[in-house]
Amino acid sequence: MTAGRVLVLGGTGEARDLAGLLVADGVPVTSSLAGRVARPRLPAGEVRVGGFGGVDGLRAYLRERAVRAVVDATHPFAERIGANAARACAVDGVPLLRLARPGWTERPGDRWHRVPDLPTAAALVSDLGARVFLTSGRQGLGAFAGDATTWFLVRTVDPPDPADLPPRHELLLDRGPYRREGEGALLDAHRIDVLVTKDSGGALTVAKLDAARERGLPVVVVDRPQRAAVEQVTDAATAAAWVLAR
């Protein structure tokens, strides 16, 4: 057993940055990945892949590995693991920090339609256009599967379940970062008139918003879900300082 280990709930660029900083400072760190991406970018330090088995499983892991602190640096829409971490850490008194990149901010020229979830986005798109660039990822893609009239360009990192795909679509497997010129060329080539995205934040995928703004396209933005009320920072360096203070 390694004493004083830090658990980073990862899968994001911020999580990888944090793991690199902690390893450089000699902190024993384990990064936990959900395993939903076939070829994830691996962080420095020890890596585990897969779930914990709910709150009880996570509590058992924290005890077995003598984890002294947890940083939830998961994707802004990974609410389940965030809720489990908040409950597990609260019960056992393990310090918990949320590392979350800021969401995107609407800029002059944007035509955003904010919605609370993917089913609401799916109900709205047909009122805004006929050809949709759907960039919300594999999770929740089935919300659009019943739309038989709209054409979708669906972009995901890994292949989705075919049953989740809408009847009229083209599938594009690709991984960021993306550039504004490339995103604009994609919109033009497929005659896209609506963009759908989650408010993931960050620089890796923001280029699609820039390209949509330049073309005056409406954008359906799915708001982030509510997360547990825990201490939160927005960058890896601040998170590393929080860990070192403990």
Side-chain angles (χ1 to χ4, degrees):
M1 181 184 299
T2 301
R5 181 163 293 273
V6 175
L7 175 64
V8 176
L9 304 175
T12 62
E14 292 77 16
R16 290 190 295 274
D17 291 343
L18 173 60
L21 291 172
L22 294 179
V23 168
D25 279 323
V27 177
V29 57
T30 297
S31 294
S32 177
L33 308 181
R36 292 175 177 168
V37 177
R39 298 179 303 278
R41 297 184 177 112
L42 297 180
E46 181 179 285
V47 177
R48 70 175 301 278
V49 179
F52 292 95
V55 174
D56 291 340
L58 179 54
R59 290 182 62 199
Y61 180 88
L62 297 179
R63 291 192 301 269
E64 291 166 3
R65 300 303 306 274
V67 172
R68 75 182 185 194
V70 177
V71 180
D72 174 11
T74 55
H75 191 276
F77 286 80
E79 61 264 41
R80 179 178 298 179
I81 182 59
N84 289 348
R87 290 174 60 191
C89 290
V91 170
D92 292 331
V94 178
L96 171 65
L97 180 72
R98 170 75 179 138
L99 169 57
R101 70 179 79 114
W104 290 313
T105 302
E106 193 168 359
R107 296 172 55 185
D110 283 328
R111 296 174 57 198
W112 284 12
H113 300 261
R114 284 196 171 272
V115 296
D117 50 41
L118 286 170
T120 306
L124 177 61
V125 290
S126 61
D127 294 333
L128 298 175
R131 298 179 66 83
V132 176
F133 187 19
L134 182 53
T135 66
S136 57
R138 289 188 303 152
Q139 304 301 317
L141 185 58
F144 300 85
D147 188 339
T149 60
T150 307
W151 184 88
F152 292 89
L153 175 63
V154 180
R155 182 167 69 190
T156 62
V157 175
D158 293 317
D161 185 334
D164 290 338
L165 289 166
R168 303 179 64 231
H169 75 273
E170 179 176 329
L171 180 61
L172 173 62
L173 301 180
D174 198 8
R175 185 200 299 262
Y178 305 106
R179 297 177 61 85
R180 187 180 71 250
E181 295 79 5
E183 296 292 73
L186 200 62
L187 296 176
D188 294 341
H190 293 277
R191 306 191 311 279
I192 298 297
D193 49 21
V194 184
L195 169 66
V196 177
T197 182
K198 292 177 177 177
D199 185 10
S200 300
L204 289 180
T205 61
V206 72
K208 60 190 174 186
L209 297 176
D210 298 330
R213 183 187 313 110
E214 291 174 350
R215 288 155 179 78
L217 301 183
V219 180
V220 180
V221 181
V222 180
D223 286 331
R224 296 180 175 189
Q226 291 294 321
R227 300 292 290 258
V230 300
E231 185 178 354
Q232 179 170 308
V233 299
T234 58
D235 64 274
T238 305
W242 180 91
V243 169
L244 293 173
R246 283 151 182 80

